[in-house]
Amino acid sequence: MVTDKSEGEVRLTIGDSGYTPQSVTPGNVTAFLQNIHISNQIQNLLVQVFPGPPDIWVEDVDGELDDDLTSWIKETAARVDLYASMRVSWYETIGYGCSVKSLGYTRRGGRYELTELRDLPAQTFGQYPGHGNVQNSLMPGIVIVGDETEVWQTYDTSMKTQRIRNYQIVREPTTPQPAGRAYALPCYPVVAAINHSNKAADQQVERIGSPIILPQIEGTITQDLKAWGDAFVKKWGRNTGFIIPPGITFPDVKIRESPAAKDRLDALISWIESYFNPTTVLKKTGDTIGGSDTQAGRIWAGFIGGTQSWIEQAYEAMLRPLLDRNGYEDRYIKIRLARPELDRSQERREQVRLGVEAKALTLEEIRDNLSELELSELSP
């Protein structure tokens, strides 16, 4: 039996272990991705890019379905959990730039079979191997040495690296080879600024709820007043109370609530929301540039469909050796995720109205195309 074993570790090593001169490091990307504002955007996209398992089939050069090979490829995809791997690939290309896979094959009963599709966590490629040119600062374990790409994985808490030789890299095809570029990369400095603004807001809450108070002793400083002052400094807080003795005053230090921290926080969050929303191309200072719900829907559907397309193509290419090595060079694997459905009802209503006004449509034609509309709406 001839066997190609998949390689690499699927266990994660958590920590700031990456080598990169940039302030956004492989080690802190995981924390950035867990920030509620960016995580929410990614999760909202995830359910639309992956509304359910894809349709998978095999066809010949004429586009005719091959039932036997389709059944085999579907069984293989289910066995290696292809759909979960596709979701992992998309998430890691968003967050890190690419996703590394290692596929295991074996020959059984005269057929070359895929036995494992191993997803190697992007976080484990954050250690520079000490040589080669880094192409993606968030995954410095992927380097170019001469004309060759080398992939090095950090595989345990000892921070040692091992070279992965049986690998495939999934990346968005318009990004640089071999390690891509993280789609979310421009958002990471914004997340860092959000964290800073949150701290500033927390400090403001503390200052307003328990402000800095400077007690002032007027007159003779007695032992009792000194003891009271010492206790006040040590114990003053939001949940403490004191009896103010004679001779103590509190000058106003003029600490007031300011909207600055909140305004900045709102602006930063809106930047992330806008970045992940392609329909903002229709907006300009609050006014739409010929914009409409239909246009926004088309842009959104195109964005989701384009993302689905490159993921499908990546996995069609990944499974291609199953056909070639089994003598099916004239067959093609097709993978198709469900595309977003556009609501065209308003557009169709408008078309019918124009047709009625021009007396170009009969009631039967209207009834066939727009049965859900009240005919009274369309009466001239």
Side-chain angles (χ1 to χ4, degrees):
M1 183 189 336
V2 178
T3 301
D4 290 344
K5 293 183 178 180
S6 53
E7 297 182 52
E9 295 294 331
V10 297
R11 296 170 295 178
L12 295 179
T13 301
I14 304 300
D16 292 341
S17 58
Y19 167 82
T20 177
Q22 284 79 15
S23 57
V24 177
T25 69
N28 60 27
V29 165
T30 300
F32 287 147
L33 290 173
Q34 292 172 351
N35 177 276
I36 184 63
H37 303 293
I38 195 169
S39 177
N40 184 54
Q41 297 299 318
I42 291 175
Q43 292 304 315
N44 287 342
L45 283 177
L46 179 66
V47 297
Q48 297 185 67
V49 175
F50 299 98
D55 289 330
I56 301 175
W57 70 95
V58 179
E59 60 184 36
D60 62 20
V61 292
D62 297 320
E64 296 294 327
L65 181 68
D66 188 314
D67 291 325
D68 291 338
L69 290 181
T70 294
S71 296
W72 173 49
I73 293 299
K74 281 186 174 181
E75 291 171 1
T76 300
R79 184 173 61 250
V80 300
D81 205 350
L82 187 82
Y83 183 52
S85 181
M86 294 173 72
R87 290 160 61 95
V88 169
S89 292
W90 176 82
Y91 180 82
E92 292 188 338
T93 56
I94 289 288
Y96 295 87
C98 69
S99 187
V100 182
K101 315 295 176 184
S102 187
L103 280 64
Y105 294 92
T106 190
R107 188 171 293 279
R108 294 176 182 162
R111 174 176 272 181
Y112 198 68
E113 296 272 8
L114 176 64
T115 56
E116 184 179 9
L117 200 173
R118 186 174 296 187
D119 300 299
L120 307 183
Q123 299 97 309
T124 61
F125 298 93
Q127 184 83 5
Y128 180 59
H131 65 279
N133 296 319
V134 174
Q135 303 299 304
N136 178 348
S137 63
L138 302 184
M139 300 186 74
I142 301 175
V143 295
I144 293 180
V145 181
D147 296 328
E148 183 180 3
T149 297
E150 293 186 6
V151 175
W152 293 81
Q153 185 185 34
T154 305
Y155 60 94
D156 61 24
T157 55
S158 69
M159 307 314 295
K160 294 180 180 179
T161 58
Q162 63 175 348
R163 183 176 179 183
I164 306 297
R165 298 181 183 275
N166 173 19
Y167 68 86
Q168 292 197 40
I169 297 176
V170 177
R171 62 176 180 85
E172 202 279 327
T174 64
T175 59
Q177 295 188 28
R181 181 189 298 113
Y183 181 80
L185 183 61
C187 294
Y188 295 152
V190 181
V191 172
I194 286 175
N195 293 336
H196 176 75
S197 293
N198 278 330
K199 290 180 180 178
D202 289 342
Q203 289 174 343
Q204 180 170 285
V205 170
E206 293 293 329
R207 288 289 182 259
I208 300 302
S210 178
I212 296 175
I213 292 181
L214 305 175
Q216 180 174 307
I217 300 176
E218 297 181 347
T220 304
I221 301 177
T222 66
Q223 191 64 31
D224 289 341
L225 287 178
K226 184 177 183 305
W228 182 92
D230 291 341
F232 181 86
V233 170
K234 291 178 180 179
K235 298 181 180 181
W236 168 246
R238 287 175 295 175
N239 299 317
T240 59
F242 289 86
I243 297 175
I244 310 301
I248 298 292
T249 61
F250 295 91
D252 186 358
V253 293
K254 302 187 183 303
I255 295 177
R256 300 290 186 269
E257 184 173 1
S258 168
K262 180 182 181 301
D263 290 347
R264 176 167 171 76
L265 186 59
D266 290 344
L268 293 168
I269 293 171
S270 72
W271 292 352
I272 291 180
E273 292 173 347
S274 296
Y275 181 76
F276 278 94
N277 182 3
T279 65
T280 54
V281 70
L282 297 175
K283 306 263 183 160
K284 183 178 181 182
T285 63
D287 298 324
T288 58
I289 307 175
S292 68
D293 290 342
T294 300
Q295 285 180 309
R298 286 174 177 167
I299 291 173
W300 185 258
F303 174 74
I304 297 297
T307 301
Q308 293 172 321
S309 180
W310 71 256
I311 296 170
E312 294 162 351
Q313 292 172 14
Y315 276 80
E316 288 171 359
M318 191 181 298
L319 297 180
R320 181 71 218 176
L322 278 176
L323 298 181
D324 292 342
R325 297 183 185 184
N326 286 293
Y328 301 115
E329 291 87 352
D330 59 346
R331 297 293 189 270
Y332 302 93
I333 295 173
K334 297 296 181 180
I335 300 173
R336 180 81 173 182
L337 292 158
R339 295 301 193 260
E341 295 184 3
L342 287 176
D343 181 5
R344 299 183 181 275
S345 59
Q346 187 61 38
E347 181 180 359
R348 294 175 65 194
R349 280 186 172 88
E350 185 61 25
Q351 290 173 347
V352 170
R353 290 184 190 280
L354 293 174
V356 170
E357 291 173 1
K359 302 185 185 304
L361 295 177
T362 66
L363 288 178
E364 186 64 30
E365 289 173 328
I366 296 171
R367 190 176 290 110
D368 290 342
N369 287 281
L370 297 173
S371 59
E372 76 279 7
L373 293 179
E374 294 290 341
L375 293 181
S376 59
E377 287 186 310
L378 304 170
S379 299

